[in-house]
């Protein structure tokens, strides 16, 4: 069985914010992505969630929100010793997608959609060893399109390090249809 840090750390590092059911929905999505099984996703970036990124909290009200913690490791860095831009984008892709889980229901973002756009702005370099918090919030989730914002902040002082806007398209089948 794969180490499932996102769930374990969520219990360990919780800040008391969020609701249990929202957190359970995010953990369910992470379980599908990260636990070993015949259907486990084995694609780009999944190892970040297996061993490096931790769910801190989640909420469904007033919108889907998540908070993750991440400490930059050497394998996540560029030659200058800072978080690689592609790695930062991958982190935002996954963490902002997880913000849809607390509001998902059958026929409404249950499959978490696919990316349509991902705009990342890098504000400050993030050195190896630095811990950041990644806040994600659903700005809008309609029947077919969603917009989620993400903010990566330095844990020690709250300085904003990078921001993103993630556009998603729902790929949910109609309720009652066969997959």
């Amino acid at each position: 069985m794969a180490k499932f840090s996102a769930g374990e750390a969520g219990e360990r590092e919780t800040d008391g914010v969020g609701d249990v059911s929202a957190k359970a929905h995010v953990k369910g999505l992470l379980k599908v992505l990260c636990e070993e099984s015949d259907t486990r996703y084995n694609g780009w970036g999944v190892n970040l969630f297996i061993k490096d990124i931790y769910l801190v909290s989640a909420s469904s009200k007033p919108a889907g929100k998540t908070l993750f913690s991440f400490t930059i490791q050497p394998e996540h860095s560029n030659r200058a010793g800072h978080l690689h831009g592609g790695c930062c984008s991958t982190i935002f892709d996954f963490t902002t997608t997880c913000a849809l889980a607390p509001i998902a229901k059958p026929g409404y973002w249950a499959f978490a959609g696919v990316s349509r756009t991902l705009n990342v702005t890098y504000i400050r370099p993030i050195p190896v060893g630095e811990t950041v918090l990644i806040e994600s919030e659903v700005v809008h989730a309609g029947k077919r399109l969603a917009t989620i914002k993400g903010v990566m902040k330095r844990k020690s002082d709250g300085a904003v390090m990078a921001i993103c806007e993630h556009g998603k398209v729902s790929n949910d089948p109609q309720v009652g249809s066969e997959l």
Side-chain angles (χ1 to χ4, degrees):
M1 185 91 116
K3 180 179 173 192
F4 185 52
S5 297
E8 295 164 4
E11 301 305 334
R12 226 179 23 246
E13 296 182 21
T14 186
D15 60 1
V17 177
D19 58 75
V20 176
S21 63
K23 198 169 185 178
H25 283 281
V26 176
K27 284 183 179 183
L29 176 60
L30 291 170
K31 185 175 184 177
V32 169
L33 293 173
C34 300
E35 283 195 351
E36 285 185 25
S37 71
D38 291 340
T39 60
R40 176 182 151 196
Y41 172 73
N42 287 307
W44 173 250
V46 74
N47 286 333
L48 285 167
F49 280 90
I50 292 173
K51 64 183 189 108
D52 298 319
I53 297 178
Y54 301 98
L55 176 62
V56 176
S57 66
S59 177
S60 60
K61 294 187 175 38
K65 292 183 181 183
T66 57
L67 179 65
F68 287 89
S69 177
F70 172 64
T71 301
I72 289 76
Q73 302 300 317
E75 61 267 25
H76 309 131
S77 69
N78 57 27
R79 288 184 289 165
H82 298 110
L83 179 62
H84 189 282
C87 187
C88 183
S89 294
T90 298
I91 292 166
F92 272 135
D93 185 1
F94 278 106
T95 58
T96 54
T97 295
C98 286
L100 286 166
I103 62 169
K105 57 187 175 188
Y108 183 76
W109 297 103
F111 283 61
V114 294
S115 294
R116 181 172 179 234
T117 60
L118 181 64
N119 301 311
V120 178
T121 302
Y122 308 99
I123 298 169
R124 293 180 175 88
I126 309 169
V128 169
E130 189 76 59
T131 299
V132 294
L133 297 174
I134 304 106
E135 302 170 352
S136 299
E137 180 178 2
V138 176
V139 174
H140 169 79
K143 184 176 180 181
R144 301 296 300 159
L145 301 175
T147 301
I148 309 115
K149 68 178 179 179
V151 180
M152 190 175 290
K153 295 180 179 180
R154 188 167 40 218
K155 186 176 181 180
S156 63
D157 64 2
V160 175
M161 309 304 275
I163 59 174
C164 87
E165 180 179 276
H166 191 180
K168 304 276 294 188
V169 177
S170 177
N171 59 349
D172 283 14
Q174 289 187 359
V175 177
S177 67
E178 291 187 27
L179 293 177

